[in-house]
Amino acid sequence: MAFEDSLSAAQKVSLQQSRRQRLRTRLATFPWWLVLILLLIVGTLLLITNSPTYNEAFVTIRSGMIVTLYITLISYAISLLIGLFTGLGRVSSSILSQNIATFYVELMRGIPMLVLIFFIALVMVPGVVNFLALLGAKLIELGLTTIGNPLAGLSNRSISMSVRAVIALSLTYGAYSAEIFRAGIQSVAKGQMEAARSQGMSHGQAMRNVVLPQAIRNVLPAIGNDFISMLKDSSLVSILAVRDITQIARLYAGHSFRYPEAYTTLSVMYLTMTLLLSMLVKLLERRLRNNG
Amino acid sequence: MANLTDEKLVEVKSINKWFGDLQALDDVSLDVQSGKVMVIIGPSGSGKSTLLRCINYLETPTNGQVWFNGERLTSDQRELNRHRAEIGMVFQSFNLYAHLTILENITLALKVVKKIKQKDAESIAIEQLKKVGIADKADKLPSQISGGQQQRAAIARALAMRPKLMLFDEPTSALDPEMIKEVLDVMMMLAKEGITMIIVTHEMGFARAAADEVIFMDNGRIVEKNTPDGLFNQPTSDRTKLFLSQILHK
């Protein structure tokens, strides 16, 4: 106070103004949206703990969590592998690999995911299975029973819908992550590859030891965001009757007619997971930047 | 067998290089004997860097031949990798591996290409870093040290492979003026040790002091070739005279 008393009136005004200014920028940069989202989550949590119908909805839907998580995780892991190799194909000097990779990426990106899931699960997988069974039968005729028998034994029933869902999600997301990896590889300065080649490394050695480690580091945030998208898009597999949280919520709502309970709880469950994950990705991003 | 120092380590036999419609190299031939230092000068766009990059086949000549150590270079990747392991290259923009420490920058190719064990590779790396005077930076990332130190690290990385030939592509052009000397000092030390070098540079003082032979290039051709004394003091071609007057009397 003693300090402020010693100031002239004009100085006091300007001090007040600068304080007001600071407060204003603080208010402007404060994440109000996050408060709103947290309010939504807390509000739903209160409903779940206090209302018996909400509680029932939550307990029921929760049982699909394991399916949602395992479909997301497995599909994500496979899609990263597909994406890495397809991304390498996209930047390859071989015209054949380039075209195969681009064909695959454009095919997947040009068809809605929902349609692709239907197509892969109900047309592609049965088609491949029938072909393999036929091949098995031919092999048995040729006397190659060791390979022929297991193939001929394949039937469409032996491939469950959740496996088909994983195949469908992996293939679609593989194309998306291929583009991320391609961009990552192209973001590494050309001189890095040249330096490695000038030391006598083969193209593959240079890629593995010099270019890819840097490329992957550059795209880690994007890859993390892909995981969040995958978690959300895994809800699409409910159309194959795979019992993930979305499917269970649909079933619950269908026979209990408690639509608000089912879909509010379901939405907030996704929201909570994606919010936590995106915070994790931001943290990762900041750490990478600081170490860069 | 002839005396080793008289042997031609590098022979470039009338190579041409076209980039689309642009002819970067026009019938260029040269040879470098073991232990000699050749400096290539000339205006930018004259083909100096392209010539250097053709010597380790980072650029493939459109036609003509490059011979190294008595063998003709071809596009055979396996052979090329074997030759490149014996040709060190230092780039204008350093090109240190950005994700690796200085020490790892040096040990990587030792391990991957020469199959040297981690421990031995590290001691080679430390030895080379001491030689260029930055052993204390071994654990730093390239982005954490100065440009001059990065370039010295790049030289150490090339030397660690025990190359028969060192190529320098404008090694001081990307450096702040106060860091040029520390890099030139290292190169001068190598010249005195008798390491065979081909150097593209704009540092005329260095060329005069270090070179056994200086080549002046313009428009993709070798215009003049002489000892540093001859080329700098009695240039024969008008083009060389003009270039030298522009670069020396600025």
Side-chain angles (χ1 to χ4, degrees):
Chain A
M1 272 304 145
F3 166 70
E4 283 190 23
D5 290 342
S6 69
L7 297 174
S8 72
Q11 277 172 320
K12 272 183 191 167
V13 170
S14 83
L15 191 71
Q16 261 176 355
Q17 271 174 346
S18 76
R19 270 184 192 160
R20 204 171 299 156
Q21 197 100 43
R22 234 176 301 153
L23 187 67
R24 201 173 294 155
T25 44
R26 259 211 162 148
L27 290 177
T29 53
F30 188 81
W32 298 103
W33 59 270
L34 187 62
V35 176
L36 284 176
I37 288 180
L38 288 177
L39 277 177
L40 278 178
I41 293 175
V42 171
T44 313
L45 259 177
L46 284 175
L47 277 174
I48 289 170
T49 46
N50 293 321
S51 144
T53 52
Y54 269 90
N55 190 265
E56 190 188 79
F58 174 71
V59 171
T60 311
I61 296 170
R62 198 177 53 183
S63 65
M65 205 57 170
I66 290 177
V67 174
T68 289
L69 288 180
Y70 107 83
I71 286 198
T72 305
L73 280 170
I74 296 179
S75 310
Y76 182 70
I78 300 175
S79 78
L80 282 186
L81 275 179
I82 296 177
L84 179 59
F85 285 105
T86 311
L88 283 170
R90 291 270 279 163
V91 297
S92 155
S93 54
S94 145
I95 292 172
L96 183 71
S97 349
Q98 228 183 74
N99 276 287
I100 292 175
T102 311
F103 169 76
Y104 162 66
V105 168
E106 293 303 326
L107 198 70
M108 294 293 148
R109 293 205 308 176
I111 302 172
M113 202 175 297
L114 183 63
V115 177
L116 266 175
I117 288 173
F118 277 131
F119 184 86
I120 292 171
L122 305 174
V123 180
M124 199 188 93
V125 170
V128 171
V129 167
N130 287 340
F131 172 77
L132 288 177
L134 216 69
L135 191 75
K138 279 272 184 296
L139 286 174
I140 292 171
E141 273 174 40
L142 292 169
L144 296 162
T145 44
T146 39
I147 323 170
N149 278 333
L151 285 182
L154 278 177
S155 83
N156 273 316
R157 284 168 179 280
S158 51
I159 306 217
S160 75
M161 275 299 168
S162 50
V163 171
R164 296 183 202 198
V166 166
I167 295 174
L169 279 180
S170 311
L171 283 177
T172 25
Y173 264 79
Y176 294 116
S177 46
E179 287 304 273
I180 296 179
F181 282 115
R182 180 186 59 79
I185 292 167
Q186 286 172 339
S187 76
V188 177
K190 232 180 100 206
Q192 297 284 309
M193 174 59 93
E194 276 186 354
R197 296 308 305 273
S198 82
Q199 289 200 283
M201 283 185 224
S202 68
H203 182 85
Q205 287 172 332
M207 210 34 141
R208 273 197 305 281
N209 294 296
V210 176
V211 178
L212 276 184
Q214 296 182 53
I216 289 173
R217 213 187 140 98
N218 291 347
V219 300
L220 271 182
I223 286 179
N225 285 325
D226 238 27
F227 183 76
I228 298 173
S229 303
M230 173 77 94
L231 178 66
K232 289 186 293 176
D233 285 338
S234 73
S235 65
L236 289 170
V237 304
S238 62
I239 52 153
L240 299 177
V242 174
R243 296 172 69 86
D244 73 328
I245 54 176
T246 304
Q247 174 66 2
I248 290 187
R250 272 172 68 192
L251 292 174
Y252 176 76
H255 67 69
S256 68
F257 298 107
R258 291 182 186 139
Y259 290 102
E261 286 88 340
Y263 290 116
T264 309
T265 308
L266 179 66
S267 304
V268 169
M269 282 168 82
Y270 278 118
L271 189 62
T272 312
M273 289 190 284
T274 52
L275 194 70
L276 286 174
L277 284 170
S278 72
M279 282 173 164
L280 215 70
V281 171
K282 281 207 185 94
L283 207 76
L284 177 87
E285 214 170 342
R286 196 171 308 160
R287 275 190 60 180
L288 281 177
R289 235 199 328 265
N290 291 345
N291 292 347
Chain B
M1 199 172 142
N3 184 352
L4 207 73
T5 51
D6 288 341
E7 262 176 29
K8 290 170 185 169
L9 184 64
V10 179
E11 271 183 279
V12 174
K13 297 182 182 172
S14 56
I15 59 170
N16 289 282
K17 176 68 185 177
W18 291 83
F19 293 109
D21 289 339
L22 183 93
Q23 186 167 22
L25 292 177
D26 181 1
D27 193 28
V28 172
S29 299
L30 60 82
D31 45 59
V32 183
Q33 291 176 352
S34 264
K36 298 291 183 190
V37 175
M38 172 178 281
V39 169
I40 305 173
I41 60 171
S44 46
S46 59
K48 314 179 295 284
S49 288
T50 307
L51 170 59
L52 201 69
R53 292 163 61 86
C54 280
I55 291 173
N56 65 354
Y57 259 50
L58 274 187
E59 302 288 356
T60 312
T62 310
N63 53 49
Q65 300 182 359
V66 178
W67 289 68
F68 172 70
N69 205 21
E71 290 178 64
R72 186 178 166 190
L73 300 192
T74 63
S75 295
D76 181 294
Q77 292 297 310
R78 198 173 285 236
E79 290 294 296
L80 214 48
N81 293 337
R82 184 168 61 80
H83 289 306
R84 281 174 178 160
E86 299 189 315
I87 305 177
M89 185 156 197
V90 176
F91 300 85
Q92 179 175 352
S93 46
F94 327 136
N95 293 352
L96 288 173
Y97 307 133
H99 62 306
L100 299 179
T101 65
I102 299 306
L103 189 82
E104 292 165 338
N105 257 279
I106 301 176
T107 56
L108 180 64
L110 292 176
K111 291 188 291 183
V112 171
V113 177
K114 293 189 122 185
K115 314 289 179 204
I116 294 175
K117 289 202 187 70
Q118 172 77 26
K119 226 177 161 189
D120 301 332
E122 275 178 18
S123 63
I124 294 173
I126 297 282
E127 179 194 330
Q128 294 302 332
L129 284 175
K130 276 184 187 151
K131 186 168 179 176
V132 300
I134 50 168
D136 56 325
K137 307 292 181 200
D139 297 324
K140 296 267 193 254
L141 287 171
S143 58
Q144 294 169 327
I145 61 177
S146 76
Q149 290 166 342
Q150 285 188 57
Q151 195 59 299
R152 285 190 278 161
I155 294 173
R157 176 175 72 178
L159 287 175
M161 300 289 283
R162 301 240 172 279
K164 290 195 167 75
L165 169 71
M166 285 284 285
L167 305 175
F168 291 84
D169 189 3
E170 301 199 25
T172 58
S173 297
L175 292 175
D176 290 338
E178 73 267 26
M179 292 171 184
I180 291 175
K181 186 174 175 297
E182 65 186 61
V183 171
L184 291 181
D185 284 348
V186 169
M187 291 167 62
M188 190 58 96
M189 171 180 81
L190 301 181
K192 283 186 183 141
E193 280 179 17
I195 293 177
T196 317
M197 306 201 274
I198 305 178
I199 303 163
V200 171
T201 186
H202 293 294
E203 297 295 328
M204 297 304 146
F206 172 80
R208 212 186 270 265
D212 294 299
E213 190 166 40
V214 180
I215 283 178
F216 172 68
M217 282 186 77
D218 189 34
N219 272 327
R221 298 181 140 271
I222 292 179
V223 177
E224 194 162 344
K225 176 157 57 171
N226 208 336
T227 60
D229 243 4
L231 194 123
F232 288 115
N233 298 335
Q234 291 112 33
T236 51
S237 123
D238 289 340
R239 187 65 192 91
T240 316
K241 282 177 199 162
L242 181 66
F243 175 76
L244 288 177
S245 74
Q246 281 167 342
I247 206 159
L248 294 176
H249 305 296
K250 243 188 281 185

